[in-house]
Amino acid sequence: MSTEPIRFDTKIAVLLREDLEPWQRLNVTAFLVSGLGSTVPEVIGEPYEDADGVAYMPMFRQPVLVFEGSKETLTAAHARVLSRALPRAVFTSDLFGTGNDRDNRAAVRAVATGELDLVGLAVYGPRNAVDKVLKGARMHP
C-alpha cells in the first residue's frame, strides 16, 4: 500500500450562505452532497470494514470542502456554475418549509433560475473550474 499523499484533480465543494443557523448549515450541506454519488459515481470510494470484519458503506473518495459567502456571492457562484455546466445541486430557502423530496422539487421548479433564493450550492468538477465558481467565497470557519 502506497503512503504517498493523494492529490485529486477534482474538487467537491459546498457554498453556504453566511446567515444560516448552525443546524441549517449542517442540514443544507448533507442535502446538497447527497445526490453526487449517484450522479457522478467515480466520486465514491470503496466500502469500509473495521478490524472485526463489520462492513460499512463507501463514502466520497476525496474531501468535501465547505465555504461560505454572502447572498450576492452565492448568486454569482450559481451563474458561474451554470455557465461552466458543472455538476451542481441547489438548496433554496423555500426548502426549509417542505418535508419531503416531492415538495422540495416542486418548490425549486416553481421559481425561475434567476429568482431562486439560494442558501446553498454544491459543485463538482476540475479543481480550477470549481475554484473559479467559488471566487469571492471563504472557507467555512
Side-chain angles (χ1 to χ4, degrees):
M1 178 149 102
S2 176
T3 59
E4 291 294 314
I6 298 174
R7 297 238 343 130
F8 297 98
D9 58 353
T10 58
K11 185 180 273 189
I12 300 170
V14 172
L15 173 57
L16 302 171
R17 203 164 74 193
E18 62 193 359
D19 61 348
L20 296 179
E21 295 294 327
W23 73 266
Q24 291 173 317
R25 291 170 184 258
L26 296 170
N27 185 265
V28 170
T29 300
F31 268 94
L32 285 171
V33 298
S34 67
L36 189 54
S38 63
T39 305
V40 187
E42 65 267 21
V43 301
I44 302 298
E46 296 297 319
Y48 286 69
E49 183 177 293
D50 65 25
D52 294 322
V54 176
Y56 302 94
M57 292 186 290
M59 296 186 284
F60 292 130
R61 66 184 180 98
Q62 67 190 91
V64 176
L65 302 173
V66 182
F67 296 82
E68 69 174 6
S70 66
K71 182 175 184 170
E72 295 76 21
T73 300
L74 205 54
T75 299
H78 184 240
R80 289 191 291 267
V81 77
L82 293 177
S83 73
R84 287 173 172 75
L86 296 172
R88 69 225 167 240
V90 294
F91 197 104
T92 67
S93 63
D94 295 332
L95 302 188
F96 290 125
T98 59
N100 60 72
D101 184 54
R102 180 196 65 221
D103 293 341
N104 287 351
R105 287 182 285 112
V108 173
R109 190 179 317 109
V111 181
T113 304
E115 301 301 315
L116 292 170
D117 185 15
L118 298 169
V119 298
L121 172 72
V123 59
Y124 171 75
R127 291 175 62 86
N128 62 345
V130 172
D131 289 343
K132 288 176 183 173
V133 166
L134 298 175
K135 183 180 177 188
R138 60 192 172 280
M139 286 297 292
H140 190 283

